[in-house]
Amino acid sequence: MNATELQRPASARALGDDTDYGTPARAGAAVSLTIDDREVTAAAGTSVMRAAIEAGIEVPKLCATDTLEAFGSCRVCLVEIDGRKGYPASCTTPVEAGMVVRTRSPMLEKLRRNVVELYLSDHPQEDTPGTNALRSLAQSLGAGAERYAGGATHLAEAKDESNPYFAYDPARCIVCYRCVRACEDIQGTYALTVSGRGFASRIAAGQDQSFMASECVSCGACVAACPTGSLLEKSVLARGRPEAATVTTCAYCGVGCSFRVETKGEGAALEVVRMVPHKAGHANEGHACVKGRFAWSYATHADRVTRPMIRERIADPWRETGWDEAIAFAAARLRAIQAEHGRDSIGGITSSRCTNEETYLVQKLVRAAFGNNNVDTCARVCHSPTGYGLKQTLGESAGTQEFRSVDKADVIMVIGANPTEGHPVFASRLKRRLRQGAKLIVVDPRRIDLVDSPHVKADFHLQLKPGANVAVINALAHVVVTEGLLDADFVARRCEQHTFVHWRDFVALPENSPEAMEPHSGVPAELVRGAARLFATAGNAAIYYGLGVTEHTQGSTMVMGIANLAMATGNVGREGVGVNPLRGQNNVQGSCDMGSFPHELPGYRHVSHAAVRGQFESAWGVPLAAEPGLRIPNMFEAALDGSFRGLYCQGEDLVQSDPNTQHVAAALSAMDCVIVQDIFLNETARYAHVFLPGASFLEKDGTFTNAERRISRVRKVIEPLSGYADWEVTQLLANALGYPMRYAHPGEIMAEIAALTPTFAGVSYAKLDRLGSIQWPCNGAAPDGTPTVHFDSVAHGMGKFFITADVPSDEKSTRRHPLLLTTGRVLTQYNFGAQTRRTENVRWHDEDRLEIHPVDAEARGIRDGDWAGIESRAGDTVLRATVTDRVAPGVVYTTFHFPESGANVITTDSSDWATNCPEYKVTAVQVTKVTQPSEWQQRYRRFAAEQERLFRSRRQSDAAVAR
Amino acid sequence: MPPQHWDTPLDYEVYGALGHVIGHGSVVVHDDSVDMAQMARFALEFCALESCGKCTPCRIGSVRGVEIIDRILAGRDRASQVIALRDLAETMQHGSLCAMGGMTPYPVLSALDHYPEDFGVDHERDRTAAAR
């Protein structure tokens, strides 16, 4: 065999391959050796164990697993190697050319049996529903523990059942350290260790605390790693061993983890036992977080509304009805409104949680059946500036890299994002790279966990004031340009020269220097200079950013500023660099791709583009409006104005997520027909006339697209509780409106999308099944998709620089509102909590709290746990205070996972100049100590209670849930 | 080490050729009233005390070794427990991750081999019984 390079990327796992190869894959020159008289080849650096298993030779193991580096503690994988003394462990021995290995011999069999016998002497006899590798190994070796009967054991130790999702049974623990290693190397939380020594060694969480009391973030990596079921899902203990599995994609965040939904039973008796992260998943590679892994019971929660409901006025009780009547009622109302108020008086909102196919159908419904372009999506309120800003500068409305790219970054800048809370599986990957030595710059008004946590410490934390993003990015660019840190070669080759020159001269102005910006930004100039120098000189520099960048009046400006900086330093267009928007929702990227914006058809083509519009017109069989329609904020304005009166809202809770709640509520109240399609009765439904029950991700087929532009399959596991998947409901409505839709399966919808959208041209369900996932663009030039958008292709076009003058927000601290409020998320709750509030995750976070600095708290007589009233020019609410120095003086912070917190009552309608993305991240507020809930909260409680009563007293339909 | 070898020069290879082992430098001095079974037990007990706990042969084996010697001294299942002790010794010698578990069996085995009477073991009698 010739010594060719065996290039095996880190996740070269074939789909459907569940083999555990024992130790991680390596890439390197081919090495030939002999194992059990067979010629075997493996990449240099591969363990003998892995080389053997890859060649089909079984090697017993307990402490080895291929998601973790070799450990060498169980001593069950011993082999004989010619010329070497003793019996080396095959997991910790790398292959070498010409090695002669034996995995079988009488001595090896004896040693293995005796080691397993020792394990068994301290292990329970009874089985649990979990799989037990020790027991299987004992059976195959014929080992029993009778010789050691009566000795000391750990069998009487108490279980730790503190975590709601998994239990730890110390009696079953074999101290293989897999859980500890998983918590360290895979998750990066370092919550677990082994306390005690020798025989007394026991797994301990935190400082010998219960799991719940420790730093454990309940990601479940330890449970997945445990070979004996000592750590085991409570759902498996309760329901028994799963029998079948379906691979699908998580419906929480934009990482888009791939999961095996493990089930038991069939048909009506089918139940989900657990969700196990899928090792072959390209986005997550076998890891997950507490939400996707454990918080899935919301899908079958008692609050699920499974029958359609209608009512004449929102003050009326709901009336359950059959699908036909509900759809007919909705269609008739919508047409009546159009007849009276014009074609543009109704519109729709697509969901960033529903599938690509479903989103595509909603915008098609609006464009083809309603006849206008009044369609929008929740990306409006989160990453719309990304779409605008990156399209202007880099030419594409999406990030340029895949998550794996961070493995090659040398310096990472995180701006306005909190990945350990919002994109935990990506954060684990990021932290691993940081532990390997990459540098970190964090730009955030709060001291987020990433700034200082086990084995991770930011080299620079630019703790800026909310609203000062553009000042800081300009100051960083100023340093790059004036200190000779430009990548002149890249700029000359790949960027438009005239835009570059204008930008360079602008950014070099003295008013953009760190010193000049310091009073406005609150960041010391020498920190800015240090960070800029590090970014420009450390090698591969990557920027990751989130809503702390986009949800500002200057969101689009800041995105362009980020792209400018990346281009100026040559950090675009290869692995390890790039501009990476951390898209939040499971399908917000997809929703944008599918043409959910009022001005864009699928594939981000403007509706005014005659040729493109013509293609859609002939495919859809109707003329299409050429003028952009209403954005969500415009819809509200128009509703209050009386010209917009009907709305079909799928999978989106406007009342809770949009800013200025009172404004939104008033707008909805002014409409004649609000149709809400959702899995729960959400806040928006309280203002609805038609409620159409939705389907969770477990109940439908389709695709989601994550933050890496990665399209993955969603596969149906249970029949829709309401009888229909969301796409089927949209189809019913379209047909009732007289626009025929006859899709039999979402695959047909994707085929239509592929036929009409060049970046999706090569996407099909067959290809998705074959490849597992596809990153768009996927077309003739890239038939298997595009992991990294390479900037070097001429077809791509040149990068453009944009002047990013700092136009500070109107939300400034004043005497009346001296503090600045910013918002964010926690790990265990997801956005406005519709799903996670209905799971055990409330054990970690059961209310939104206001973080306030000790200096500001003391000045107001507020102590930790006191009720604090927060007032802005838009409204006021009350939250309990947490006094902490995570925020700087002058800044307060809250989360918004609970509707009664009313976080959006206080946010204003200030928004991004280009996209109307609301400025959630900066609101001038005053905080005072109070003793009772705010007036809004009291009104909210009364209104919510009344709507609850109207729901509970609904006239229930006897009609079966018929299709 | 039996009296007939006491004049052996203190040399690693020479000891090795005799099937004995020199440790890392500690010297234990005792007189002829010593109970070698207790010394063997102490070797295992010390191993259990010092064990880091990473590998199973030492972590569990050292504890089991003390239990086995206690059974042998109490006369419970003596013949089969002696076999178990030898098996355990072999497992620890060849299976341990480091030399602590790996070397502990040497003094235990040499005590058992050369001073069986302290264990209440008669090799001749046991061999004959096994042959029958």
Side-chain angles (χ1 to χ4, degrees):
Chain A
M1 238 188 228
N2 37 10
T4 48
E5 279 288 315
L6 282 183
Q7 282 306 327
R8 184 184 285 278
S11 74
R13 178 175 290 280
L15 288 179
D17 177 10
D18 278 327
T19 315
D20 188 339
Y21 291 98
T23 57
R26 299 277 191 252
V31 172
S32 285
L33 63 155
T34 309
I35 304 181
D36 292 350
D37 294 322
R38 285 170 45 179
E39 271 280 308
V40 158
T41 309
T46 307
S47 69
V48 168
M49 173 189 278
R50 187 172 180 120
I53 297 176
E54 280 176 0
I57 299 168
E58 240 188 76
V59 177
K61 58 191 182 307
L62 287 171
C63 74
T65 181
D66 59 18
T67 49
L68 296 169
E69 293 296 334
F71 195 59
S73 85
C74 72
R75 316 313 292 173
V76 148
C77 71
L78 308 180
V79 293
E80 291 169 1
I81 301 178
D82 278 2
R84 295 203 190 181
K85 182 174 163 303
Y87 303 90
S90 58
C91 62
T92 48
T93 307
V95 295
E96 269 172 45
M99 214 184 222
V100 178
V101 179
R102 265 178 312 283
T103 69
R104 304 268 179 285
S105 78
M107 183 58 156
L108 288 176
E109 300 297 323
K110 187 149 68 125
L111 285 173
R112 277 181 200 139
R113 198 169 45 249
N114 287 342
V115 169
V116 169
E117 186 186 19
L118 285 172
Y119 272 119
L120 288 175
S121 73
D122 187 13
H123 200 77
Q125 303 266 23
E126 324 77 47
D127 279 323
T128 65
T131 51
N132 190 333
L134 174 64
R135 179 115 22 240
S136 317
L137 187 56
Q139 264 163 7
S140 67
L141 292 172
E146 303 75 32
R147 288 205 283 191
Y148 296 118
T153 67
H154 295 93
L155 297 179
E157 285 197 9
K159 298 189 181 132
D160 179 348
E161 291 170 319
S162 59
N163 184 294
Y165 298 120
F166 62 86
Y168 169 51
D169 181 6
R172 220 162 281 278
C173 173
I174 59 170
V175 201
C176 65
Y177 284 74
R178 275 163 68 156
C179 54
V180 176
R181 290 143 67 199
C183 192
E184 292 180 351
D185 295 336
I186 297 178
Q187 169 56 24
T189 295
Y190 291 77
L192 299 180
T193 186
V194 167
S195 103
R197 203 159 56 98
F199 192 73
S201 300
R202 287 288 101 184
I203 303 300
Q207 298 283 316
D208 279 321
Q209 297 160 287
S210 69
F211 269 86
M212 205 58 188
S214 73
E215 304 95 326
C216 165
V217 293
S218 197
C219 71
C222 58
V223 180
C226 180
T228 59
S230 172
L231 286 159
L232 189 62
E233 291 92 347
K234 285 185 175 176
S235 58
V236 173
L237 286 166
R239 295 178 196 185
R241 187 172 297 197
E243 293 156 3
T246 310
V247 174
T248 191
T249 306
C250 183
Y252 276 115
C253 86
V255 172
C257 295
S258 184
F259 276 97
R260 290 163 48 94
V261 184
E262 295 192 351
T263 56
K264 206 177 155 182
E266 272 175 21
L270 183 132
E271 55 173 359
V272 176
V273 178
R274 65 177 174 181
M275 301 274 283
V276 177
H278 189 42
K279 267 199 203 172
H282 295 129
N284 61 321
E285 292 178 355
H287 193 36
C289 86
V290 60
K291 297 187 293 290
R293 178 81 155 95
F294 295 120
W296 42 268
S297 61
Y298 70 86
T300 47
H301 193 274
D303 283 355
R304 279 293 296 272
V305 179
T306 55
R307 288 167 191 243
M309 303 186 297
I310 57 179
R311 56 183 177 182
E312 287 291 327
R313 287 178 311 270
I314 68 177
D316 295 343
W318 283 106
R319 183 166 69 82
E320 262 181 22
T321 177
W323 277 103
D324 290 341
E325 195 190 333
I327 293 287
F329 178 87
R333 273 241 169 145
L334 289 173
R335 285 297 186 219
I337 293 168
Q338 281 187 307
E340 196 185 329
H341 298 278
R343 207 180 46 186
D344 294 339
S345 60
I346 62 176
I349 293 180
T350 75
S351 175
S352 304
R353 320 304 308 286
C354 290
T355 63
N356 286 320
E357 294 76 3
E358 287 163 345
T359 313
Y360 176 81
L361 283 195
V362 173
Q363 62 88 37
K364 183 177 180 182
L365 174 85
V366 171
R367 296 197 154 106
F370 292 6
N372 58 48
N373 284 320
N374 294 338
V375 62
D376 205 357
T377 176
C378 88
R380 172 73 42 212
V381 305
C382 71
H383 264 283
S384 47
T386 291
Y388 177 81
L390 291 186
K391 182 129 200 220
Q392 295 294 312
T393 49
L394 302 180
E396 198 57 82
S397 292
T400 53
Q401 319 292 124
E402 50 174 1
F403 293 138
R404 217 173 290 149
S405 159
V406 78
D407 295 347
K408 299 214 166 91
D410 300 308
V411 58
I412 294 148
M413 181 148 67
V414 176
I415 312 179
N418 194 351
T420 52
E421 311 274 354
H423 294 83
V425 171
F426 170 69
S428 293
R429 186 168 213 125
L430 166 63
K431 289 201 290 191
R432 191 191 292 169
R433 181 63 187 156
L434 294 174
R435 290 196 299 273
Q436 286 172 353
K439 305 283 185 221
L440 177 65
I441 303 165
V442 173
V443 183
D444 199 292
R446 275 174 87 230
R447 192 181 64 243
I448 57 174
D449 274 351
L450 205 55
V451 170
D452 194 354
S453 61
H455 300 279
V456 162
K457 203 167 157 67
D459 295 88
F460 290 94
H461 176 203
L462 307 184
Q463 194 167 6
L464 74 180
K465 290 189 200 149
N469 287 348
V470 175
V472 169
I473 203 84
N474 285 346
L476 289 167
H478 177 96
V479 176
V480 167
V481 162
T482 56
E483 289 189 14
L485 301 172
L486 284 167
D487 185 337
D489 176 61
F490 178 86
V491 170
R493 273 189 305 115
R494 297 307 314 150
C495 304
E496 270 185 10
Q497 289 312 294
H498 64 278
T499 60
F500 166 68
V501 166
H502 283 141
W503 172 81
R504 180 198 62 200
D505 294 343
F506 157 75
V507 125
L509 293 170
E511 66 242 35
N512 288 322
S513 70
E515 291 72 17
M517 292 294 201
E518 185 171 335
H520 173 42
S521 69
V523 184
E526 70 274 11
L527 283 187
V528 175
R529 286 198 181 269
R533 287 168 196 150
L534 177 63
F535 184 82
T537 60
N540 284 344
I543 302 176
Y544 291 86
Y545 73 89
L547 305 185
V549 160
T550 55
E551 288 175 351
H552 285 269
T553 53
Q554 299 197 87
S556 294
T557 310
M558 183 59 178
V559 172
M560 295 195 290
I562 289 173
N564 289 339
L565 184 66
M567 288 188 290
T569 52
N571 283 307
V572 186
R574 58 182 193 283
E575 283 191 277
V577 299
V579 177
N580 300 272
L582 290 170
R583 313 293 311 237
Q585 315 237 45
N586 56 310
N587 203 33
V588 64
Q589 178 68 51
S591 163
C592 297
D593 299 341
M594 293 295 111
S596 299
F597 288 130
H599 66 295
E600 277 173 348
L601 289 163
Y604 302 103
R605 279 116 11 114
H606 205 279
V607 293
S608 64
H609 200 302
V612 174
R613 200 175 66 248
Q615 273 180 326
F616 280 89
E617 281 173 340
S618 52
W620 292 354
V622 287
L624 299 176
E627 290 298 311
L630 298 171
R631 298 169 172 178
I632 294 178
N634 309 141
M635 291 179 187
F636 297 147
E637 294 300 329
L640 288 169
D641 222 24
S643 59
F644 187 80
R645 310 183 77 100
L647 184 68
Y648 171 54
C649 179
Q650 184 180 90
E652 170 74 12
D653 192 355
L654 300 166
V655 170
Q656 200 172 345
S657 355
D658 282 51
N660 201 342
T661 309
Q662 298 179 102
H663 179 68
V664 176
L668 289 170
S669 306
M671 292 195 213
D672 296 324
C673 180
V674 176
I675 306 162
V676 166
Q677 184 172 334
D678 211 304
I679 56 178
F680 297 114
L681 201 68
N682 58 23
E683 300 302 307
T684 306
R686 307 199 196 278
Y687 299 88
H689 307 89
V690 181
F691 186 87
L692 301 173
S696 75
F697 75 115
L698 292 172
E699 297 158 55
K700 55 196 173 181
D701 285 302
T703 56
F704 291 150
T705 305
N706 77 352
E708 297 172 296
R709 294 165 283 108
R710 186 184 300 283
I711 307 161
S712 302
R713 276 301 313 277
V714 176
R715 292 191 178 88
K716 184 159 76 171
V717 176
I718 52 187
E719 287 304 315
L721 301 191
S722 72
Y724 286 115
D726 290 298
W727 60 273
E728 293 179 296
V729 176
T730 307
Q731 183 158 267
L732 288 174
L733 185 59
N735 286 320
L737 287 167
Y739 180 81
M741 279 191 190
R742 283 184 210 97
Y743 303 100
H745 188 277
E748 293 172 17
I749 306 173
M750 180 51 82
E752 183 177 311
I753 295 166
L756 289 167
T757 317
T759 43
F760 279 68
V763 179
S764 71
Y765 276 34
K767 194 182 275 190
L768 283 168
D769 282 347
R770 184 166 59 80
L771 297 176
S773 67
I774 301 170
Q775 285 171 277
W776 64 260
C778 171
N779 46 30
D784 285 353
T786 312
T788 309
V789 175
H790 286 282
F791 224 52
D792 284 341
S793 61
V794 174
H796 191 276
M798 304 287 251
K800 298 181 177 57
F801 286 80
F802 278 78
I803 304 281
T804 53
D806 183 23
V807 180
S809 164
D810 284 338
E811 284 303 308
K812 287 194 259 278
S813 70
T814 61
R815 243 205 329 235
R816 207 169 141 220
H817 299 116
L819 304 173
L820 291 176
L821 169 77
T822 190
T823 56
R825 295 158 165 80
V826 293
L827 168 68
T828 47
Q829 293 287 351
Y830 185 76
N831 281 357
F832 46 78
Q835 301 152 291
T836 45
R837 273 183 288 115
R838 293 179 167 100
T839 68
E840 293 285 349
N841 280 15
V842 291
R843 300 260 305 266
W844 282 278
H845 185 91
D846 64 356
E847 62 174 346
D848 295 322
R849 303 267 292 218
L850 182 78
E851 285 187 1
I852 180 167
H853 192 275
V855 152
D856 294 322
E858 197 184 314
R860 291 159 175 80
I862 293 173
R863 283 166 315 178
D864 198 85
D866 281 350
W867 290 104
I870 311 111
E871 190 217 347
S872 74
R873 60 183 169 86
D876 63 289
T877 190
V878 171
L879 291 169
R880 258 220 280 247
T882 296
V883 179
T884 169
D885 65 353
R886 261 195 204 264
V887 289
V891 175
V892 289
Y893 164 91
T894 187
T895 52
F896 50 88
H897 302 300
F898 290 83
E900 55 268 29
S901 312
N904 277 325
V905 173
I906 347 174
T907 51
T908 66
D909 48 23
S910 291
S911 67
D912 175 55
W913 59 269
T915 62
N916 284 143
C917 184
E919 190 167 53
Y920 291 113
K921 299 296 179 177
V922 194
T923 311
V925 297
Q926 174 59 288
V927 174
T928 47
K929 183 167 163 169
V930 299
T931 50
Q932 58 172 8
S934 72
E935 205 201 299
W936 172 83
Q937 279 166 315
Q938 290 172 35
R939 272 186 288 123
Y940 167 81
R941 278 186 204 162
R942 285 195 295 270
F943 180 68
E946 178 62 14
Q947 286 292 324
E948 260 311 290
R949 191 187 66 74
L950 292 175
F951 175 63
R952 299 254 167 259
S953 66
R954 68 193 182 282
R955 274 193 19 229
Q956 305 209 278
S957 167
D958 289 329
V961 177
R963 293 181 63 105
Chain B
M1 183 176 268
Q4 57 266 36
H5 290 157
W6 286 1
D7 291 326
T8 312
L10 200 67
D11 176 276
Y12 283 98
E13 282 77 18
V14 175
Y15 265 59
L18 289 170
H20 293 302
V21 157
I22 297 178
H24 294 282
S26 64
V27 179
V28 179
V29 180
H30 52 80
D31 64 20
D32 61 4
S33 66
V34 69
D35 179 344
M36 289 310 289
Q38 286 298 326
M39 293 303 282
R41 184 187 189 284
F42 177 68
L44 285 161
E45 189 183 44
F46 185 71
C47 181
L49 270 176
E50 293 295 309
S51 172
C52 77
K54 180 165 175 179
C55 82
T56 305
C58 170
R59 174 170 56 88
I60 301 185
S62 53
V63 168
R64 297 290 173 244
V66 173
E67 289 165 359
I68 287 177
I69 290 189
D70 283 344
R71 273 183 223 123
I72 292 174
L73 294 177
R76 290 209 304 269
D77 295 322
R78 186 172 277 146
S80 61
Q81 289 288 289
V82 166
I83 295 170
L85 184 61
R86 290 197 185 278
D87 266 352
L88 177 63
E90 187 180 56
T91 307
M92 286 178 72
Q93 272 172 316
H94 299 302
S96 293
L97 177 59
C98 82
M100 199 189 69
M103 306 260 282
T104 292
Y106 283 100
V108 176
L109 286 175
S110 68
L112 181 65
D113 286 339
H114 300 292
Y115 300 92
E117 59 279 9
D118 285 359
F119 290 81
V121 165
D122 183 338
H123 292 310
E124 263 310 313
R125 183 189 67 209
D126 290 344
R127 259 198 296 275
T128 323
R132 261 196 251 113

